Amino acid sequence: DSGVTQTPKHLITATGQRVTLRCSPRSGDLSVYWYQQSLDQGLQFLIHYYNGEERAKGNILERFSAQQFPDLHSELNLSSLELGDSALYFCASSDPPEVGGGNTIYFGEGSWLTVV
Amino acid sequence: GEDVEQSLFLSVREGDSSVINCTYTDSSSTYLYWYKQEPGAGLQLLTYIFSNMDMKQDQRLTVLLNKKDKHLSLRIADTQTGDSAIYFCAEPHEVEGNTPLVFGKGTRLSVIA
């Protein structure tokens, strides 16, 4: 158990709909990352938040957005869903920079999204 | 641009050694990582190596780093069926601080009993 909690574990929804994925980072971690894993694209970085502020954006579509709240949990919002958005969405968190071991990232179990 | 490359498949017999290879792009990367993903599960950190090291050993795992060639390898000794999984190599997007990791596409290791 990495300590990163994601809900829901599985989600089936129709095209055009909107869903919200939720993530609680490990206790004390200020950084939250979202990744998308699909068969054809592999593991793609979407977005990074640090202590409530957006730090970096990866291959995140404009239909997707995220935020990190004052209690450090994060939500990934996916709207106008398409069949191709079906994937496993991971949340991850990492140690504060002052902790040794580089920037080790700990992953949650993921949220399986199926768009039908 | 960043691109971490790995071969996609590796098949070994139980008890043999497995060697999974990776090439990375950023010569300034301070740490390099290996993650393991078992079927239906999240990514689990296996090990990491600091860039000033050539080798790191952790029980059955040996990581070799060739900075000149930007080549990283993971050797699993006495491979077991429970080692069957996808193994990802990763490097930091930036040199310092909290930064996303860039992952390879993963090597699927199949262990034949």
Side-chain angles (χ1 to χ4, degrees):
Chain A
D1 183 6
S2 68
V4 179
T5 305
Q6 290 188 246
T7 56
K9 290 197 185 321
H10 300 272
L11 189 58
I12 301 174
T13 191
T15 54
Q17 294 299 304
R18 172 191 168 94
V19 298
T20 297
L21 309 180
R22 194 178 189 280
C23 169
S24 294
R26 296 185 326 151
S27 176
D29 285 356
L30 301 179
S31 272
V32 167
Y33 309 83
W34 286 97
Y35 284 83
Q36 178 195 58
Q37 186 178 34
S38 59
L39 281 175
D40 54 344
Q41 293 293 322
L43 199 60
Q44 296 284 316
F45 163 66
L46 295 178
I47 198 163
H48 169 210
Y49 276 83
Y50 180 82
N51 202 20
E53 293 188 4
E54 182 185 303
R55 272 291 176 91
K57 264 188 176 179
N59 300 321
I60 189 166
L61 299 172
E62 286 198 10
R63 300 183 285 109
F64 296 179
S65 65
Q67 53 185 330
Q68 187 180 26
F69 296 88
D71 67 353
L72 301 177
H73 91 270
S74 178
E75 292 181 355
L76 178 66
N77 301 297
L78 314 174
S79 61
S80 303
L81 285 166
E82 302 175 359
L83 295 177
D85 297 327
S86 295
L88 182 54
Y89 291 85
F90 284 112
C91 172
S93 70
S94 62
D95 294 323
E98 61 271 17
V99 175
N103 190 51
T104 303
I105 291 182
Y106 301 91
F107 282 80
E109 294 289 307
S111 292
W112 279 99
L113 172 65
T114 303
V115 182
V116 297
Chain B
E2 298 165 333
D3 207 3
V4 178
E5 299 281 348
Q6 300 178 241
S7 53
L8 294 181
F9 300 99
L10 177 65
S11 183
V12 299
R13 293 200 174 278
E14 190 175 20
D16 288 350
S17 292
S18 308
V19 179
I20 301 170
N21 294 302
C22 166
T23 55
Y24 60 97
T25 56
D26 190 349
S27 58
S28 61
S29 291
T30 52
Y31 289 86
L32 293 152
Y33 301 83
W34 285 103
Y35 282 81
K36 174 184 180 182
Q37 184 180 28
E38 295 179 354
L43 275 74
Q44 168 198 354
L45 176 68
L46 265 186
T47 187
Y48 60 86
I49 187 167
F50 189 50
S51 58
N52 68 353
M53 299 169 66
D54 296 325
M55 185 181 84
K56 179 180 179 181
Q57 188 146 4
D58 183 2
Q59 300 182 332
R60 292 190 298 120
L61 304 179
T62 302
V63 179
L64 295 178
L65 175 60
N66 180 331
K67 286 193 70 176
K68 174 175 166 291
D69 295 337
K70 297 181 190 173
H71 184 263
L72 184 73
S73 68
L74 174 70
R75 178 177 180 268
I76 306 172
D78 186 25
T79 312
Q80 303 298 307
T81 53
D83 295 323
S84 293
I86 303 175
Y87 291 81
F88 292 90
C89 168
E91 66 171 338
H93 174 69
E94 294 171 4
V95 175
E96 293 180 355
N98 279 173
T99 177
L101 295 181
V102 178
F103 288 83
K105 289 198 182 301
T107 300
R108 185 179 295 273
L109 174 65
S110 298
V111 182
I112 306 163

